[in-house]
Amino acid sequence: MTTIDDRPADGYTGAVARVYDLVHQGKGKDYAREADDLAELITGRVPGARSLLDVACGTGLHLAHLTRRFARAEGLELSPDMLAAARHRNPCTTVHHGDMRDFALGTVYSAVTCMFSSIGHMAGQSELDAALAAFAAHTEPGGVVVVEPWWFPDTFTPGYIGAAVVEAEGKTISRVSHSRLEDGATRIDVHYLVAEPGRDIEHLSESHRITLFPRTAYELAFERAGLDTEYLPGGPSGRGLFVGVRPRPARPQHRR
């Protein structure tokens, strides 16, 4: 059995990274449509947007589609195994190794995105503030920051059990998850059984602690980062999206 420890800043390691996409795509997650919707949202607020940074890009599936919509699309990922998968999937795309709380790439983008509730791995308000400050610092004036949050405390369902069985690439994969409330956060334990012909059944497990930030905590972090923010209900996973615009500098007033 492979077990992934609770490391909010590190993310998924090799064994689970290998089946991660297969499971979520098998459950119906449409990365191409989500990327198109995200691109439309961005260009609707930043006409002519040409560059994008996808923070916590995982294995780079969103990024693979976003590269077709922006002249320069790059990724940022902390987990070494996810980073390797993203670079393998996007060999002509720059994918940086970095932590969303303190990365410094020395450039700015028309848009900075953080999807699939990766932001929930921030441990508290100070880490959330640090992440949004880093996002804003990499966003050009007039550009946007788009963040998909985790559930809010009033929308989370303690005790929720999710289950799925998918078949892909010659494998049959079952995934069972159990989410519970733990000191203002979601503790989610996930188990996988991976079966394929000629091999023993593989048992993988992972456990994550994902902070249940209230909506006001996100809005405060966006405000502290100097972003004008709105919350859009719905979104790709039903948890909504926060969209922040970095204001353009005020034009100097000339006296007559």
Side-chain angles (χ1 to χ4, degrees):
M1 181 178 73
T2 300
T3 300
I4 294 181
D5 297 328
D6 177 31
R7 287 169 291 178
D10 195 12
Y12 303 88
T13 57
V16 172
R18 292 196 302 270
V19 299
Y20 181 89
D21 292 328
L22 299 180
V23 169
H24 287 290
Q25 287 179 297
K27 291 169 59 181
K29 188 170 181 63
D30 189 338
Y31 286 89
R33 179 184 56 79
E34 291 182 11
D36 283 343
D37 290 345
L38 182 60
E40 292 298 323
L41 173 64
I42 291 167
T43 56
R45 284 162 174 74
V46 189
R50 293 181 53 80
S51 58
L52 175 143
L53 176 68
D54 189 23
V55 176
C57 67
T59 63
L61 259 174
H62 279 134
L63 188 60
H65 300 287
L66 290 167
T67 56
R68 302 168 189 163
R69 299 295 302 266
F70 296 91
R72 177 170 64 109
E74 300 178 358
L76 180 92
E77 176 56 45
L78 182 57
S79 163
D81 293 303
M82 289 290 200
L83 178 70
R87 286 175 172 171
H88 179 75
R89 174 171 279 120
N90 302 279
C92 299
T93 300
T94 299
V95 185
H96 306 273
H97 182 240
D99 187 322
M100 72 170 73
R101 296 166 294 189
D102 61 6
F103 67 99
L105 305 181
T107 187
V108 293
Y109 304 82
S110 304
V112 174
T113 62
C114 185
M115 303 300 291
F116 215 2
S117 303
S118 299
I119 195 72
H121 289 284
M122 300 297 95
Q125 186 71 52
S126 62
E127 290 194 359
L128 184 63
D129 290 350
L132 265 297
F135 297 173
H138 289 80
T139 305
E140 64 189 28
V144 295
V145 173
V146 182
V147 172
E148 182 179 7
W150 182 238
W151 298 110
F152 303 142
D154 57 339
T155 58
F156 172 62
T157 304
Y160 179 79
I161 295 176
V165 177
V166 302
E167 295 184 2
E169 297 184 358
K171 300 178 178 66
T172 299
I173 307 165
S174 65
R175 177 187 185 272
V176 176
S177 65
H178 178 221
S179 301
R180 64 185 186 274
L181 185 64
E182 182 182 274
D183 298 327
T186 299
R187 170 65 66 181
I188 180 168
D189 298 313
V190 187
H191 291 263
Y192 303 84
L193 291 178
V194 183
E196 54 186 312
R199 300 188 63 178
D200 291 339
I201 294 175
E202 186 177 15
H203 178 200
L204 310 174
S205 67
E206 55 177 327
S207 181
H208 296 283
R209 188 177 189 276
I210 309 176
T211 305
L212 287 163
F213 291 109
R215 175 173 166 175
T216 52
Y218 289 103
E219 291 171 338
L220 179 59
F222 272 82
E223 178 185 344
R224 286 173 172 171
L227 301 167
D228 297 330
T229 309
E230 62 179 315
Y231 173 70
L232 306 177
S237 304
R239 297 187 280 269
L241 292 170
F242 286 97
V243 181
V245 177
R246 182 178 176 187
R248 297 180 185 276
R251 293 184 178 179
Q253 299 294 318
H254 298 286
R255 293 184 179 181
R256 295 184 178 180

